[in-house]
Amino acid sequence: MNDSVGLVKTEYADFDVELRLESGRLLGPLTIAFERYGQLNAAKDNVILVTHAWTGDAHAAGVHDEEDRKPGWWDNMIGPGKVFDTDKYFVLCSNVIGSCKGSTGPTSIDPKTGRPYRLKFPSLMVRDMVRAQKLLIDHLGITSIHAVVGGSMGAMQAIEWAIHYPEMIRAIVPIAGTGRTSPMAIALNALARQAIFNDPLWKKGNYRPEHPPADGLALARAVGHISFLSDASMWLKFGRRFSVRDGMFDFFGKFEIERYLDYNGGNFVDRFDTNSFLYLAKALDLYDVAWNFDSLSEALDRLNCPSLWFAFTSDWLYTPQQTQEVVDELRRLNKPVDYHLIESDYGHDSFLVEPEKFIPILQTFLAEVPRSA
Ligand SMILES: CC(=O)SCCNC(=O)CCNC(=O)[C@H](O)C(C)(C)COP(=O)(O)OP(=O)(O)OC[C@H]1O[C@@H](n2cnc3c(N)ncnc32)[C@H](O)[C@@H]1OP(=O)(O)O
Ligand SMILES: N[C@@H](CCO)C(=O)O
């Protein structure tokens, strides 16, 4: 495929630092996993920083092996001639701290004990993730970022970048984001947590990696997965179809939607660590752009760049109203802001499933970003 970035590899940068976290605790040394696509130009000003969601990773495009069944998670966006055109832009994606996908997280070794942190890992905020990412940006000698673009938790990171490093950010594109996590989203994460805590294999986070609380984690992910879909997408995908494998009157027979949740919950256990899932859920719950500011207005007034916002009509997790709340405040502050409500049936995950709906607007926006911050 000539619009693919092709074979790529994840790189790792080590930082001998102790990062002061929002909680006051220190974390370090740190490793940040990242991938890069395209070439950094001589002026080092063609950088697009792609920020990932809850269970994403640094592998945003291309494949690690010719035999890979699927490419990186935003492969439809990154590559020669695509919206993040790697003939033009240097696209960078790093894994957040707290994750289990190469950056320092609860599965990493705690230098104080020589054993994995597990629940000794400190609670994080999205702001801490961005502060750690900044170490990588500095390490690569980048002083100006053309745009930070991300969906869901990636949107939160984009906002944090613009507020805390306004001098180096030329634009942000928060997609399916929120300015503060709603009580309903926290409630769903609370159910996910209880599913894990009630699994006897959980052992207060001290499970052996080869024996994770698989039932609890699969159920927790299924709760999350429901919130990433929508009523409309479930009707489209499954309707009321009963699994062809089951008899309709078998007591344990399942609807197709149940099979789907079983499959995706079970799959998740093979690719994600339980403690990381919990730490990132906590960071999502704690998210409030106004944290440690006197008001939302004070926080957003620090934003010094154009911003482009997308929300999806069927997103009931981070609803369009939540994006609108931030956009309204930015408008009140006379900041350059552009907001588009995209018609999509695919719920919160529309940013992964139907990017073609917002790509043309994004493409025009990126071309018009001013050359200096
Ligand atoms: C955002 C980031 O930063 S990265 C994180 C993104 N990744 C995830 O969220 C991982 C979970 N994956 C997903 O939710 C989806 O695959 C998405 C959102 C990425 C893409 O959505 P879609 O293209 O609509 O995929 P869909 O939901 O139809 O299929 C997901 C899986 O369920 C399977 N599936 C579909 N229908 C059924 C069914 N009736 N019964 C059982 N399994 C089913 C699919 O075969 C697919 O399996 P695979 O992952 O092994 O290929
Ligand atoms: N489905 C995506 C988005 C969730 O916010 C993920 O799991 O990361």
Side-chain angles (χ1 to χ4, degrees):
M1 280 190 298
N2 54 12
D3 68 348
S4 167
V5 294
L7 271 179
V8 296
K9 62 178 177 12
T10 306
E11 300 174 70
Y12 302 87
D14 295 320
F15 300 95
D16 192 13
V17 291
E18 288 208 303
L19 196 70
R20 175 73 64 186
L21 304 171
E22 289 296 319
S23 63
R25 287 186 59 185
L26 293 170
L27 179 66
L30 293 177
T31 298
I32 307 286
F34 67 103
E35 292 196 5
R36 41 178 149 183
Y37 321 106
Q39 297 298 319
L40 188 58
N41 64 11
K44 295 190 174 182
D45 66 355
N46 65 335
V47 180
I48 292 197
L49 178 64
V50 163
T51 46
H52 71 72
W54 188 357
T55 67
D57 53 31
H59 183 40
V63 289
H64 287 157
D65 187 289
E66 303 286 6
E67 305 300 312
D68 283 358
R69 197 167 69 87
K70 287 184 183 181
W73 58 269
W74 237 0
D75 190 76
N76 42 14
M77 303 274 287
I78 305 166
K82 294 184 187 170
V83 61
F84 302 144
D85 186 348
T86 47
D87 290 335
K88 187 170 162 193
Y89 299 116
F90 174 71
V91 183
L92 184 66
C93 181
S94 70
N95 183 220
V96 297
I97 54 169
S99 176
C100 54
K101 297 290 185 179
S103 293
T104 301
T107 58
S108 306
I109 300 298
D110 178 352
K112 291 196 189 73
T113 63
R115 293 196 300 273
Y117 282 102
R118 299 196 178 95
L119 296 199
K120 297 258 183 325
F121 197 77
S123 288
L124 296 175
M125 294 188 83
V126 172
R127 200 164 289 177
D128 298 316
M129 298 171 186
V130 166
R131 204 166 276 145
Q133 242 168 11
K134 169 77 164 43
L135 295 171
L136 176 68
I137 296 294
D138 291 346
H139 169 73
L140 296 173
I142 294 164
T143 54
S144 171
I145 297 182
H146 188 80
V148 187
V149 189
S152 191
M153 192 177 83
M156 297 172 180
Q157 293 166 71
I159 305 168
E160 294 292 309
W161 266 102
I163 284 174
H164 294 281
Y165 304 102
E167 66 290 351
M168 63 191 299
I169 305 301
R170 304 212 303 275
I172 57 166
V173 186
I175 310 176
T178 180
R180 51 187 178 160
T181 302
S182 70
M184 193 197 71
I186 296 170
L188 290 167
N189 284 350
L191 289 186
R193 274 187 281 278
Q194 285 308 318
I196 292 168
F197 297 163
N198 288 336
D199 186 325
L201 289 182
W202 149 247
K203 299 178 181 163
K204 295 214 162 96
N206 290 314
Y207 53 85
R208 295 217 308 275
E210 61 279 21
H211 292 295
D215 291 347
L217 181 59
L219 179 53
R221 177 61 171 180
V223 171
H225 208 122
I226 293 169
S227 72
F228 307 150
L229 303 176
S230 73
D231 186 41
S233 70
M234 289 197 207
W235 275 109
L236 277 171
K237 262 184 205 291
F238 316 105
R240 292 182 39 80
R241 278 196 310 285
F242 209 75
S243 168
V244 286
R245 281 183 275 169
D246 301 342
M248 199 168 132
F249 295 102
D250 288 350
F251 185 71
F252 291 105
K254 292 186 173 175
F255 283 88
E256 208 51 59
I257 176 64
E258 293 181 86
R259 290 255 169 243
Y260 176 82
L261 292 174
D262 285 353
Y263 174 78
N264 284 283
N267 233 358
F268 187 66
V269 175
D270 299 331
R271 74 174 182 92
F272 219 83
D273 170 63
T274 309
N275 288 336
S276 280
F277 179 81
L278 290 167
Y279 272 91
L280 297 182
K282 174 95 183 166
L284 288 168
D285 289 353
L286 291 178
Y287 186 68
D288 181 352
V289 62
W291 160 255
N292 254 346
F293 289 97
D294 285 341
S295 62
L296 177 66
S297 175
E298 195 203 357
L300 294 179
D301 202 26
R302 289 179 55 84
L303 205 126
N304 200 19
C305 64
S307 56
L308 170 65
W309 303 71
F310 294 110
F312 300 100
T313 47
S314 57
D315 184 349
W316 59 281
L317 183 61
Y318 297 170
T319 59
Q321 288 78 5
Q322 291 173 39
T323 295
Q324 186 83 55
E325 185 187 19
V326 183
V327 166
D328 285 349
E329 191 57 33
L330 285 168
R331 286 196 176 127
R332 213 186 54 76
L333 292 164
N334 287 321
K335 304 283 178 184
V337 52
D338 192 10
Y339 167 54
H340 295 265
L341 178 59
I342 305 292
E343 281 285 339
S344 174
D345 283 338
Y346 288 96
H348 184 62
D349 269 348
S350 297
F351 73 98
L352 297 167
V353 183
E354 285 200 312
E356 64 279 10
K357 293 249 173 103
F358 59 84
I359 280 176
I361 304 168
L362 176 54
Q363 201 145 24
T364 307
F365 176 81
L366 290 176
E368 290 171 357
V369 169
R371 293 214 64 80
S372 59

